[in-house]
């Protein structure tokens, strides 16, 4: 997973994709980047703020709160 903190890192928001693209049918999340299919497909047209919000969700999921 890319080391990015949406609360403190400034500038362009990096894609969380790490090229391990496999959707988990139980969670509905990509096993590589922990995004939903909707988050993945919207990424290329999302605003920087929307991308930052996706990162907030990824961090929450990493912490096991999903």
């Amino acid at each position: 997973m890319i080391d990015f903190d949406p609360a403190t890192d400034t500038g362009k928001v990096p894609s969380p994709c790490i090229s391990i693209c496999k959707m988990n049918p139980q969670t509905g999340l990509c096993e590589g980047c922990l995004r939903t299919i909707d988050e993945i497909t919207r990424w290329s047209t999302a605003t920087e703020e929307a991308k930052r919000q996706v990162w907030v969700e990824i961090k929450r999921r990493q912490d096991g709160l999903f």
Side-chain angles (χ1 to χ4, degrees):
M1 181 62 64
I2 295 170
D3 187 24
F4 177 77
D5 184 346
T8 61
D9 290 341
T10 60
K12 188 170 173 72
V13 179
S15 171
C17 181
I18 58 170
S19 299
I20 301 174
C21 306
K22 181 179 178 189
M23 297 305 290
N24 182 311
Q26 275 90 28
T27 65
L29 301 173
C30 173
E31 292 182 3
C33 66
L34 298 178
R35 291 183 288 173
T36 66
I37 195 71
D38 286 340
E39 291 168 342
I40 292 167
T41 59
R42 293 180 183 148
W43 187 265
S44 65
T45 59
T47 65
E48 292 295 298
E49 184 55 38
K51 290 177 180 180
R52 195 169 297 281
Q53 187 57 44
V54 170
W55 269 103
V56 168
E57 289 302 310
I58 290 169
K59 295 298 185 182
R60 184 180 63 82
R61 293 169 186 152
Q62 280 179 323
D63 290 340
L65 301 176
F66 60 93

